[in-house]
Amino acid sequence: MIPDRQRVPVLDVDATPLRVNELIEALGGLIAAGTTATVLGHNLHSITLFHSCADFRSLYDQSSIVLLDGAPVAMLWGLAHKRQLTPLQRGPMAYRLGSMDWVPALGGVEGLERVAVIGAGRAANTEAVARLRTIIPGATVDGMPGEAWDEDIEDAVVAWLADFRPQLVLLGLGMPLQETVLRRRLLQLPPAVYCAVGGAIEQVAGVQKLAPRWLGRLGLEWAWRLVLHPGRVAYRVFVEPWKLAGLLARRHFRPSKTKGK
């Protein structure tokens, strides 16, 4: 059973607080249902897009699960809901789930037999597929690369998924491309659980170095990424928080009758 969404204060979004074992159980339930579902994550980048793009917001509003992906999101949620947390739950950072916190646990998903891996370059995709076959023994795992994504590749992936009929799809095209693809193609795709996983395919493959998980629990994974990929991460670290602050301020001071629209 998937718990109800809960409000993340200040950031004005709702998310589904889950720990790893709870997400794995929820994925099993979604797969057993046999319908189309989406699993997304909220970090400061996604929240900026959420408040600035109506289509992006619509996808999140309709998603089956929205994880607390990103330390600030988990911490702010924890401040609002700390009375509900017991010592055994280890505080809000236990609910901070980046893709690499739960992808290695997919072997525990009940009934998972067919997995599709979409994204990354050909070599990384092939290596990630091989690694996932060891993580999910007995499951059929296959993939298609997503490098240089364009309309032709997208059409080919949609056709391949229709033929493969996976139960779980790991879509790692980076944000917001992966969310854009889901928004415009979801109704054309076969029933499955579609998970937006960002750079996790390269991380599973070992192509992209993963930050130590203890850094994530301390809320410092951004520093690791900034050191390794300054050109890719600097804007999100130093500029985007100010953009988000402006969006939230305008939302806060907007006339009440238009809020939430």
Side-chain angles (χ1 to χ4, degrees):
M1 181 177 178
I2 301 171
D4 293 334
R5 299 276 183 89
Q6 294 185 5
R7 173 63 41 152
V8 179
V10 180
L11 300 177
D12 284 346
V13 296
D14 297 322
T16 320
L18 294 171
R19 292 170 291 176
V20 173
N21 63 311
E22 294 166 338
L23 174 60
I24 294 304
E25 182 179 352
L27 289 175
L30 291 173
I31 287 169
T35 57
T36 297
T38 57
V39 177
L40 309 176
H42 254 325
N43 52 40
L44 292 185
H45 184 45
S46 69
I47 292 171
T48 302
L49 293 167
F50 180 93
H51 287 303
S52 59
C53 177
D55 288 339
F56 193 90
R57 181 165 57 252
S58 176
L59 177 68
Y60 270 75
D61 285 342
Q62 297 172 26
S63 182
S64 310
I65 295 174
V66 179
L67 300 173
L68 297 165
D69 175 14
V73 184
M75 289 175 179
L76 286 169
W77 168 80
L79 286 174
H81 302 279
K82 60 184 177 181
R83 292 183 181 178
Q84 301 174 22
L85 299 175
T86 68
L88 291 177
Q89 292 173 314
R90 296 186 292 113
M93 293 309 286
Y95 293 84
R96 188 265 180 182
L97 295 190
S99 298
M100 285 305 292
D101 291 311
W102 57 267
V103 168
L106 285 175
V109 177
E110 187 173 347
L112 182 55
E113 298 176 349
R114 298 184 309 283
V115 180
V117 182
I118 309 297
R122 185 170 301 278
N125 188 281
T126 299
E127 183 60 32
V129 166
R131 172 64 179 144
L132 283 163
R133 286 171 179 165
T134 68
I135 291 173
I136 320 167
T140 299
V141 184
D142 208 346
M144 287 190 71
E147 198 171 38
W149 190 271
D150 60 15
E151 186 176 349
D152 290 339
I153 294 175
E154 188 170 308
D155 288 342
V157 166
V158 170
W160 177 74
L161 288 171
D163 183 61
F164 183 37
R165 308 291 295 186
Q167 298 162 297
L168 182 74
V169 179
L170 302 180
L171 184 63
L173 302 175
M175 183 183 292
L177 177 57
Q178 59 199 11
E179 290 80 12
T180 300
V181 171
L182 282 176
R183 179 181 57 79
R184 69 186 172 212
R185 291 290 199 163
L186 198 57
L187 295 178
Q188 303 169 35
L189 293 171
V193 181
Y194 293 87
C195 305
V197 298
I201 295 173
E202 290 187 339
Q203 292 167 351
V204 170
V207 172
Q208 186 181 128
K209 196 170 184 181
L210 181 65
R213 301 324 294 154
W214 61 267
L215 276 179
R217 290 191 293 272
L218 292 175
L220 295 173
E221 191 169 341
W222 62 268
W224 175 274
R225 293 178 178 176
L226 182 62
V227 170
L228 290 184
H229 309 286
R232 185 188 308 174
V233 178
Y235 176 84
R236 292 191 184 183
V237 172
F238 296 118
V239 178
E240 196 164 55
W242 296 103
K243 179 180 179 181
L244 175 58
L247 290 168
L248 293 172
R250 286 195 292 274
R251 180 180 175 87
H252 178 74
F253 291 110
R254 190 185 307 164
S256 58
K257 68 179 180 179
T258 64
K259 284 187 178 181
K261 291 186 179 180

